[in-house]
Amino acid sequence: MSDSPDTPTTGPTGAAPDDGSARDLGSEPTGRELLPTATPARTRAAVRELVRPRRGLAVAGFAAMIAATGVGLLVQPLLGRIVDIVADHRPPGDITLPVVLLVLVALAQGATTALGLSLVSRLGETVLARLRERFVEKALRLPLEQVEKAGAGDLTARVTRDVSVVGEAVREALPELARSLLAIALTLAAMAALDWRFFLAALIALPVQASTARWYVRNAVPLYARQRIATGSQQQQLLDTIAGAGTVRAFRLEEEHTERVTRRSSAAVELTLRGVRLVLDFYNRLHIAEYAGLAAVLVTGFLLVRGGSVSIGTATAAALYFHSLFTPINAALVLLDDAQSATAALARLVGVADQTSPEAEKPEPEKQVHESRPRTAKAGGTVTVTGVHHAYEPGRPVLHDVDLTLRAGERVALVGPSGAGKTTLAKLIAGVHRPTAGSVRVTTNGAGESGDGVPVALVTQETHVFAGPLADDLRLARADATDAELCTALTAVSALDWVVALPEGLDTVVGEGGHRLTSAQVQQLALARLVLADPPVAVLDEATAEAGSTGARLLEQAADRAADGRTALVVAHRLTQAATADRIVVMDGGRIVESGTHDELCAAAGVYASLWEAWSGTRATADETPTHHRPDTTTPKDD
């Protein structure tokens, strides 16, 4: 959430209002700006880029497939040979050699097919794995505002459904499609080798098949693209409804949200049924081509045998060749349906994977600039914010011409009333958002883009605990950390005692389905990760807000120790944090209005003095309240 006072109005669940008006099936939901989808040309180019480093594997795989198909084409001539032996009333022993050869052909074809499918599958899985890595890498680096505009449903649909569709195509459709296309091409060539007139007869089916394929592709590609969008909209609505379930019940909006889910689900189902009808029409047209082609080959064989141009066995082989085309053609067409669906999904994955990383963009005005210098222990880094403007939506600025410098090793508290822009400025410095104009320059003393860690680490009040052993959760900050180093980090944030008391200590499973941690313990883990990551600059955005009154002081001390020796920007949840900072920066209306020490700002009788007076007065009143009724008084929150 932004701290803009002009954040768009939403319904009770936080979802964009839905007036229930009709919109096209599969169209982009109102207010959503979906993540990009690659063009067909770019999708093909991306596949070539992924395959190029593995050309050897590709050549070997398809060579094995060609060999398997070529060997399999010997079956029809051998069967035709047996027909000729029988038709000529030759001795039964003459059949022995063709039968033995048929057995050898079957064994050879089985072995080469297994090898080819294995190599092609390995190629497909390797390419898919690389694509997934690129997708996840770029998805994690997408600007937060872009993900928010698209909605979590769009990204979720790509991560789950689209990846699944492409994965199934790579594991099953790609090898089978390659084998089917090779079988079609080589079988037609074999028919021409028997007699060119058989080849011409077989081509009678081609115009119907070609026109049918073009008709199908023309209708299937946009249909499947719309189906993907509809699925994303459905998932977004489900996420919005489930996330706001408590509010939905409180406002008695169950029927309305059920109707929304039903409407989005119906749109997805309707598009799926359209796809089924499209496939059925597709097959109906292809049956005409099959019957016409087979009839033409049989008539041609009859005429050629009667004229003495070919033997009965050759005509039989030609008919068997054409009949054998039914299976690969039908398989290819079934897989063409899968291929269209996979292509639409692949285009959505490539669209995200092609996104330019913030590090590759121009340093100003969009992004942070990190400069690495020789490490000097415990010197922190310098942060320079110059002329920064920021707006989550055009025409609705949140920050106005902000200039700020955090000196190396300095601890600065950021305070101000709700909507002042504190969280936005903190996220800009942390690199979560990029400024609309101006620049954020981080000059580190050891950890930069080419250093041994991230230059800026952000700790917020919303910390996620990943499912798994607690040690693994901590090692997210530094994968090579030893148990001793984990214990040192936990000691720094006063967490070692309760971690040791867990059923299995560092090996205790936490997160979803594991040992439940308190809010204060979760924040201590986040601070321990900060210690392990050891960045020169730390941004603490109300990192102690979730503790409540009882754990507030403990977390404040833990935060102080975690930030020791670093340049720190602290969005102060309690003004006691601000009072002990080296410097206090006061924001109001998206601008910095005051800067100085606690004593200087109190003496200036400005915004900070008013906040301190109000907060101190509330605390004095709270001190007269019994402990078990004492309120948790805080400064107003940004969001």
Side-chain angles (χ1 to χ4, degrees), residues 237-399:
Q237 185 60 59
L238 286 170
L239 289 172
D240 288 344
T241 299
I242 293 172
T247 307
V248 170
R249 287 193 295 270
F251 283 85
R252 300 293 189 270
L253 296 174
E254 293 90 345
E255 292 185 4
E256 178 182 342
H257 276 261
T258 299
E259 174 60 27
R260 292 183 186 180
V261 173
T262 301
R263 188 165 59 251
R264 298 281 169 82
S265 298
S266 297
V269 170
E270 174 60 25
L271 287 170
T272 300
L273 291 177
R274 287 186 188 180
V276 172
R277 289 193 292 270
L278 186 68
V279 172
L280 292 176
D281 291 342
F282 184 55
Y283 281 117
N284 288 335
R285 298 185 182 203
L286 288 174
H287 289 327
I288 298 174
E290 292 177 355
Y291 295 143
L294 183 58
V297 171
L298 290 174
V299 170
T300 301
F302 170 77
L303 294 175
L304 292 178
V305 170
R306 190 175 66 173
S309 300
V310 299
S311 67
I312 296 177
T314 301
T316 302
L320 290 174
Y321 269 138
F322 189 83
H323 188 271
S324 70
L325 284 175
F326 290 180
T327 299
I329 287 177
N330 286 336
L333 295 175
V334 169
L335 297 172
L336 182 61
D337 178 66
D338 293 340
Q340 295 305 317
S341 181
T343 298
L346 182 61
R348 285 159 55 83
L349 296 179
V350 173
V352 174
D354 272 357
Q355 287 290 283
T356 304
S357 299
E359 291 81 358
E361 297 180 356
K362 293 182 179 180
E364 295 185 11
E366 292 87 357
K367 72 173 285 286
Q368 288 185 317
V369 178
H370 305 301
E371 296 180 355
S372 296
R373 295 181 179 175
R375 176 184 286 280
T376 56
K378 293 293 183 181
T382 301
V383 179
T384 306
V385 179
T386 307
V388 163
H389 295 258
H390 190 68
Y392 292 99
E393 295 184 10
R396 296 182 176 182
V398 179
L399 298 181

Side-chain angles (χ1 to χ4, degrees), residues 114-161:
L115 176 61
L117 289 176
S118 174
L119 293 175
V120 173
S121 297
R122 183 185 303 174
L123 171 67
E125 289 290 353
T126 304
V127 170
L128 178 61
R130 179 55 188 147
L131 176 62
R132 280 197 300 257
E133 291 170 0
R134 283 178 54 182
F135 177 85
V136 172
E137 178 184 355
K138 295 299 176 67
L140 292 175
R141 295 176 181 270
L142 285 175
L144 184 59
E145 58 266 29
Q146 185 178 8
V147 176
E148 289 174 343
K149 288 179 181 179
D154 185 31
L155 187 59
T156 301
R158 298 184 192 223
V159 171
T160 55
R161 177 60 181 167

